[in-house]
Amino acid sequence: MPDPVLVGRLRADLADAGYTAGAVRDAWGPLADEAVGHGLHGPALRALAARAGSSEGVGAGPDAVGVLARLLFLGVPTAQASVDRVLVHTGSEGLAALGLAEVRGGEVVPLALVRPQDFDDGDVTAGAPGRSGQWWIASDLDEAALGGALPVGHVLGVGGASLTLAGLQLPTPAERVLDVGTGCGIQALRARRVADRVVATDVSPRALAFTRLNALLNDVDGIETRLGSLFDPVRGEAFDRVVSNPPFVITPRVAGVPAYEYRDAGFAGDDLVAAFVTGVGGVLAPGGVAQLLGNWEYRGDHDGLDRVREWVDASPVPLDAWIIERELLDPLAYAELWVRDGGTAPGTPGYGALVAAWLTDFAARGVTGVGFGYLLLRRSVSDDGPTLRRFERLTQPIGEAQGGLGVHLARALEASDVLARLDDDALAAAVLVVAGDVTEARHHLPGAEAPSVIELRQGGGFARTIEVDPALAALVGACDGDLPVGVLIDAIAQLLEVDATALRSDLLPRVRELVFTGFLGVA
C-alpha cells in the first residue's frame, strides 16, 4: 500500500495547483490537445514553454498547471526546483517515495503519469442532472513518453475503451460490484460512485498497486484489490454488478509477439470473452448485471454474433443478453491496429513480421473478420428463463449524452421488464408518451403530396433511425400521455379505412420495440 499520508499531500498539491483536465486543455490549446490524443507531444510542449516564458518573474514561481502538465501528463523530465515550488507539500522527494518519479541531477524524471479525468455519473431520473466531478488517474508512461514500444507489463491509463465502458456502466445503485481486470482502477472508481463496495481483480500486481494508489489519490474507500484471473479470486461470492474491460485482444500465441498484460490474457483467439460469458453467471446474484467490452471472431461463414449467442446459451446459469456490435474489422486492419497500439509503427523494424504473425494466426482458424462491441448480461430472475435476447449491429455515430449510455441502458432494462409483464391487451391499455429527443423526418418525391419515406430519429441513446409507415407515424405522433394505445389504433384504423384488429396485430409488436429502444415511454 502506498503511504496514505504522502498520497494525501499529493492530492492537496494537485488541487491547490488547479491541475484539472480543463486547465490542462486551456494551457496548451485545442490544436495541441488534439495532437496529444494522437500521441504527438511537440505542439503541447511548445505551448507550455511559451506559457512559462510569458509568466517569468510573476508570482511565486513557474506556472503550476504548466509544470504538472509537462511532468505528469506528458511524462517529460522537469527541473526539480520548479516541481518543488509547485508540489509544496509533496515535493520531488515525495514523488520519488511514491514511485512516481526519480530525482537525477537537478531534474525530476517521471516514472508514471498522473492525469486529470472528468466524469459525469448521469441520472436515470428524467430531467435530473448527473453528478459530475474529476479524478486523478496514475498509470505507466505511454509510448510517447517512453519514445518506443511499451513493456509487456505496462499498466494502461484512461483510453477510449475504458471511457466507453465507464460511460456504459449502469448508474443505478448496487451493493457489491466486481471489476475484473481492473488495470489502473478507472472502472472500480466509476462503480464505487453507485456501489457500497467494489472488489477489483487483476493478474498484474502492478495494476493492483496503481488501483490502490488511485483510490487513495481520489480519497475513495470501499475498493478491495485481489490478485487472480477471471473469477478465481471471488469463487463462491455473488455480486449485483460485474464490469470488465478485459484483455480481450486476439493475439498470436507464437514467439516474437509481445503479450501485453493490459490487453492479452494468454487465451487463444476469442476464448477469453467466451470464458467470461459462460462463467459470469456463477458470480452474479439473481438479477445481477454484467457489462464488458469484447472481440469475437467471424470464422468462414459463421457470423460473429452467432458465436456470442452460442456462448450465452452455453452458460449453466440462464442469462438475459443484449449484445451490440459496434465495429467489424478485417484481419489485416485488426492486426495493424494492435501492432501500432504496442508502439511498433509502420516502416519500423519488426512491423511487417508482427502483422504477418497475426494474419497467419487468423488463417489457421479461418477468421474472416473480428467484431468489437458491448456485452450486457443479466442473471435471469424469471422462472420462465431469459426474457431479453438481443444481438444487433449498431455502427452509427453516437452522441455524448450526459453520463454516457449507462442511463439509456438502465431505462431499456426497466422497459424490458415492464414489457415482459404486458401481454398485447395490457399494452393496448397502456398510455404512452413520445421521448423528448425523438424527431420525425418526411421525404417527398418532387411534386408528390404523400411522403415516400417517414423516419423517426433518436437524438440520445444509440441515435437510432427507424423507417415507419403512416400508421405507426400517426400512432407515435398521437402518444402524448392522454389516450391508451388501443384507442389510438382504433382511431387510426378508422381514419385509414383499414381493419382495426389487423392494424393492432401489426402495430403492437413494433410499439414494443419503440418502448424498449426509448422512442416511447410508459406514461
Side-chain angles (χ1 to χ4, degrees):
M1 285 291 294
D3 182 351
V5 174
L6 196 51
V7 176
R9 292 173 184 170
L10 178 58
R11 180 172 64 247
D13 282 336
L14 297 179
D16 290 345
Y19 184 50
T20 66
V24 171
R25 286 191 293 267
D26 290 342
W28 56 44
L31 179 61
D33 193 60
E34 183 175 358
V36 168
H38 290 267
L40 304 173
H41 289 179
L45 288 171
R46 288 192 293 272
L48 293 178
R51 179 184 174 102
S54 66
S55 63
E56 196 70 30
V58 177
D63 170 62
V65 171
V67 170
L68 295 178
R70 176 184 172 88
L71 178 71
L72 298 179
F73 202 110
L74 301 181
V76 175
T78 304
Q80 183 179 4
S82 297
V83 175
D84 287 340
R85 283 196 295 266
V86 170
L87 299 180
V88 178
H89 303 94
T90 312
S92 54
E93 297 299 336
L95 285 182
L98 289 171
L100 298 175
E102 290 181 345
V103 181
R104 304 176 194 163
E107 274 196 328
V108 180
V109 180
L111 300 178
L113 305 175
V114 181
R115 291 175 166 173
Q117 179 65 55
D118 294 330
F119 66 82
D120 190 310
D121 290 340
D123 196 300
V124 292
T125 306
R131 297 178 299 165
S132 59
Q134 179 201 268
W135 293 306
W136 291 293
I137 304 296
S139 64
D140 273 325
L141 299 173
D142 60 18
E143 58 263 38
L146 292 170
L150 301 172
V152 293
H154 177 82
V155 176
L156 194 68
V158 180
S162 53
L163 287 177
T164 295
L165 182 59
L168 288 169
Q169 283 199 43
L170 302 181
T172 48
E175 291 186 13
R176 301 187 76 218
V177 175
L178 170 65
D179 176 16
V180 178
T182 189
C184 67
I186 179 66
Q187 305 306 329
L189 288 172
R190 176 66 184 82
R192 182 64 178 87
R193 301 282 295 172
V194 298
D196 296 333
R197 290 189 59 208
V198 176
V199 175
T201 69
D202 208 293
V203 297
S204 165
R206 184 169 179 80
L208 296 179
F210 271 116
T211 296
R212 291 191 291 269
L213 171 62
N214 287 326
L216 284 173
L217 188 56
N218 293 283
D219 199 20
V220 176
D221 62 3
I223 296 178
E224 176 189 352
T225 59
R226 300 185 194 176
L227 183 68
S229 177
L230 284 175
F231 310 113
D232 289 343
V234 294
R235 295 293 179 191
E237 300 180 49
F239 296 84
D240 307 298
R241 200 82 43 82
V242 178
V243 296
S244 182
N245 182 13
F248 58 76
V249 176
I250 298 168
T251 306
R253 308 258 72 87
V254 296
V257 177
Y260 296 107
E261 288 181 347
Y262 74 88
R263 71 183 201 189
D264 175 25
F267 288 70
D270 52 16
D271 287 351
L272 172 69
V273 181
F276 192 105
V277 172
T278 56
V280 71
V283 297
L284 283 174
V289 174
Q291 295 178 273
L292 69 151
L293 306 180
N295 277 155
W296 40 86
E297 295 182 339
Y298 285 66
R299 297 181 182 178
D301 296 330
H302 197 182
D303 188 284
L305 284 179
D306 286 340
R307 285 177 57 75
V308 183
R309 191 191 309 270
E310 291 168 0
W311 301 339
V312 175
D313 291 340
S315 169
V317 177
L319 296 174
D320 290 323
W322 186 7
I323 314 301
I324 299 166
E325 184 175 273
R326 293 288 292 147
E327 189 175 14
L328 176 61
L329 295 179
D330 62 58
L332 177 59
Y334 189 88
E336 291 183 320
L337 169 67
W338 292 110
V339 171
R340 291 194 303 269
D341 176 80
T344 303
T348 60
Y351 179 83
L354 287 173
V355 172
W358 251 276
L359 296 182
T360 300
D361 180 60
F362 283 142
R365 291 191 303 279
V367 175
T368 58
V370 180
F372 164 80
Y374 318 148
L375 299 91
L376 188 154
L377 307 165
R378 182 173 62 173
R379 180 166 179 170
S380 178
V381 294
S382 170
D383 294 336
D384 298 328
T387 58
L388 175 62
R389 284 295 177 93
R390 290 181 71 94
F391 299 81
E392 56 184 329
R393 295 178 177 87
L394 298 174
T395 58
Q396 67 271 18
I398 297 173
E400 295 184 5
Q402 186 183 57
L405 283 166
V407 172
H408 178 72
L409 296 179
R411 291 173 179 166
L413 287 179
E414 183 180 358
S416 176
D417 292 338
V418 170
L419 290 169
R421 297 192 296 267
L422 299 179
D423 60 17
D424 282 353
D425 289 339
L427 180 60
V431 177
L432 305 180
V433 62
V434 182
D437 64 336
V438 174
T439 58
E440 181 186 280
R442 294 182 176 238
H443 304 270
H444 295 73
L445 293 173
E449 181 178 352
S452 55
V453 176
I454 306 174
E455 293 176 334
L456 298 179
R457 297 175 178 174
Q458 186 178 50
F462 285 105
R464 299 173 189 263
T465 296
I466 299 177
E467 186 173 336
V468 298
D469 55 29
L472 186 55
L475 176 60
V476 171
C479 285
D480 56 5
D482 186 18
L483 296 175
V485 172
V487 173
L488 295 176
I489 292 177
D490 291 343
I492 293 168
Q494 186 175 5
L495 181 64
L496 297 178
E497 298 180 344
V498 298
D499 180 73
T501 301
L503 186 61
R504 181 176 294 206
S505 298
D506 173 57
L507 291 183
L508 287 181
R510 292 192 281 164
V511 168
R512 289 182 181 274
E513 175 70 7
L514 292 177
V515 172
F516 177 82
T517 53
F519 286 80
L520 295 173
V522 179

